Amino acid sequence: MATEVHDQPDQSRFEILVDGTVAGYAEYRRSGDRITVLHTEVDDAYEGQGLGSVLVRHVLDEARAAGLAVLPSCPFTAAWIKRHPEYLDLVPEGARPAYDLA
């Protein structure tokens, strides 16, 4: 199983592909030096394979590389950051309580 993640800025989403087929996506809104992750979804046919985690990690790594702050409005993304505190610094300190990341 070959996976790739690509930003589709014209659609405001990152897509994860499995063997060339879109298996899921993370919708976002970018504003200035911030990116808000709005929704993450993996197709039922690909659930349980860790693709949501691969996708979110990629989004957060891209945000870090671009120097963007992250607002994890997507519950999956917020929970993922909570389980991976090495990414907590991407969420502005004042915004963390809103995402249960205090």
Side-chain angles (χ1 to χ4, degrees):
M1 174 171 83
T3 61
E4 302 173 48
V5 178
H6 298 284
D7 187 7
Q8 301 294 335
D10 57 320
Q11 296 178 43
S12 298
R13 71 187 206 170
F14 283 86
E15 294 177 342
I16 187 162
L17 288 78
V18 174
D19 298 326
T21 300
V22 176
Y25 59 88
E27 295 178 335
Y28 66 84
R29 179 178 51 242
R30 188 161 173 188
S31 178
D33 63 350
R34 291 184 175 205
I35 185 169
T36 302
V37 183
L38 302 167
H39 179 70
T40 303
E41 188 168 317
V42 173
D43 187 280
D44 291 345
Y46 297 95
E47 281 192 26
Q49 299 179 33
L51 297 178
S53 291
V54 171
L55 179 58
V56 168
R57 182 182 303 272
H58 184 90
V59 171
L60 298 176
D61 287 343
E62 289 288 317
R64 186 182 304 283
L68 300 175
V70 175
L71 299 177
S73 291
C74 165
F76 180 84
T77 302
W80 195 92
I81 292 171
K82 196 171 196 174
R83 289 189 315 274
H84 298 88
E86 65 272 21
Y87 287 89
L88 183 60
D89 65 302
L90 292 172
V91 181
E93 192 170 341
R96 293 175 190 171
Y99 306 107
D100 195 26
L101 295 171

